[in-house]
Amino acid sequence: MQMRLKNTFLILLKLAVIVGLIVYLPTKVSGSNAQVINAINNEQNNPTTPVATNPTNTSFVPTKDKKIHIYNTHQGEEYDGFNVVEGANYLKDCLNNKGYQCDVEGNDFEGYKAVHKIAYNKSYTVSKMYLEESLKLSGGYDLIIDFHRDSISKELSTISHDGKSYAKIMFVVGKSSGKFDAVNQLSQKLSDLANATVPKISRGVYVKKSHYNQGISDNMVLIEVGAQSNTKEEVQATVEIIAKAIGEYLG
């Protein structure tokens, strides 16, 4: 009888361990090495500010003194066979090729929200925590990009130029950020530079009654790159135009 009770106890103990592992198992964002466990561990030590991890290519040697940070408030946004996290990393590669020091936020925002039961409409609260930590660690950036995609038809999100198909872009500026003038001016400048290379690739600057965390820095833009039906090739072609515009702006 005692042996049976002991075996039953051991089985229940193993089941409890397995359930615990499933509940707290870290998840990954496609295209990055980020894990939810980073955010969970840090919140236990500091309930308000998760740790920011920004993987960089340690073999890369920048030739320019400008620093750029890219992140995706809505990391779950996808294209046709591609996603915004992969798009952000491709933009990083393009900017690295131009000599700029650039990093992409590596933490899993979507996993963090799921584990902590944070609603989708609080996404900017989550991305703000990581962004503020990145700013502390880096000492600041010359340009900060929140990389998104829109939700419109393929006809509206695509343009052809010289036989090549591109995903259109749009800059979104929050009217209530407290830094509206600076962010709006920067967004308009980058929009104009992109259009100078591929006419009408930018749909312009869209002003909304929100903040989008743009009160954190004058050097910050939110870019909608294409929409759900755009392909990897179209998005990457556009990202190259964005990188060119950034290079012309930063010098």
Side-chain angles (χ1 to χ4, degrees):
M1 182 67 176
Q2 288 181 338
M3 181 63 69
R4 184 178 298 174
L5 288 173
K6 182 178 180 180
N7 289 338
T8 301
F9 174 76
L10 289 174
I11 291 171
L12 290 173
L13 181 61
K14 289 179 181 179
L15 286 173
V17 171
I18 292 170
V19 170
L21 287 173
I22 292 173
V23 170
Y24 291 103
L25 185 67
T27 59
K28 293 185 178 181
V29 176
S30 175
S32 78
N33 295 321
Q35 295 184 340
V36 180
I37 197 69
N38 292 335
I40 297 173
N41 286 342
N42 186 71
E43 178 160 284
Q44 291 172 347
N45 297 323
N46 183 344
T48 58
T49 309
V51 171
T53 58
N54 306 306
T56 56
N57 182 355
T58 55
S59 64
F60 170 72
V61 179
T63 58
K64 299 184 179 180
D65 62 355
K66 306 293 186 179
K67 294 194 299 182
I68 304 164
H69 178 65
I70 309 171
Y71 69 102
N72 310 92
T73 290
H74 296 144
Q75 292 175 334
E77 292 177 333
E78 296 186 348
Y79 299 105
D80 181 5
F82 203 51
N83 62 53
V84 293
V85 175
E86 292 170 317
N89 277 280
Y90 187 68
L91 178 55
K92 181 199 74 171
D93 292 341
C94 291
L95 291 168
N96 283 164
N97 289 338
K98 292 181 178 296
Y100 296 105
Q101 181 179 336
C102 182
D103 61 60
V104 176
E105 175 57 63
N107 278 290
D108 183 350
F109 296 175
E110 300 303 316
Y112 182 89
K113 286 185 290 185
V115 169
H116 296 283
K117 296 180 173 59
I118 298 173
Y120 182 81
N121 62 6
K122 299 296 183 183
S123 295
Y124 284 94
T125 301
V126 174
S127 63
K128 182 181 180 182
M129 291 191 295
Y130 287 105
L131 176 56
E132 288 178 335
E133 187 66 17
S134 292
L135 286 166
K136 290 178 186 177
L137 294 173
S138 68
Y141 294 99
D142 297 285
L143 182 63
I144 301 169
I145 302 167
D146 190 0
F147 190 113
H148 290 251
R149 69 115 168 105
D150 210 341
S151 297
I152 55 177
S153 69
K154 181 71 179 285
E155 181 182 2
L156 294 176
S157 70
T158 313
I159 189 170
S160 181
H161 178 71
D162 288 343
K164 191 171 184 177
S165 186
Y166 296 87
K168 285 188 174 183
I169 61 175
M170 182 175 71
F171 293 82
V172 181
V173 179
K175 186 70 174 178
S176 62
S177 71
K179 294 185 180 292
F180 170 76
D181 290 338
V183 174
N184 186 55
Q185 184 176 358
L186 170 57
S187 298
Q188 189 62 61
K189 180 64 175 177
L190 291 176
S191 176
D192 291 343
L193 287 170
N195 280 334
T197 301
V198 177
K200 298 184 179 181
I201 191 172
S202 176
R203 296 156 55 206
V205 178
Y206 183 41
V207 177
K208 296 187 70 175
K209 292 181 180 179
S210 189
H211 59 86
Y212 304 110
N213 296 333
Q214 292 169 353
I216 291 176
S217 172
D218 290 342
N219 306 316
M220 188 169 177
V221 291
L222 188 162
I223 311 178
E224 300 269 11
V225 183
Q228 70 278 4
S229 298
N230 285 112
T231 65
K232 174 181 179 179
E233 292 75 21
E234 290 167 343
V235 173
Q236 288 185 331
T238 295
V239 164
E240 291 168 9
I241 301 302
I242 295 171
K244 181 177 184 293
I246 290 171
E248 292 172 351
Y249 171 74
L250 291 178

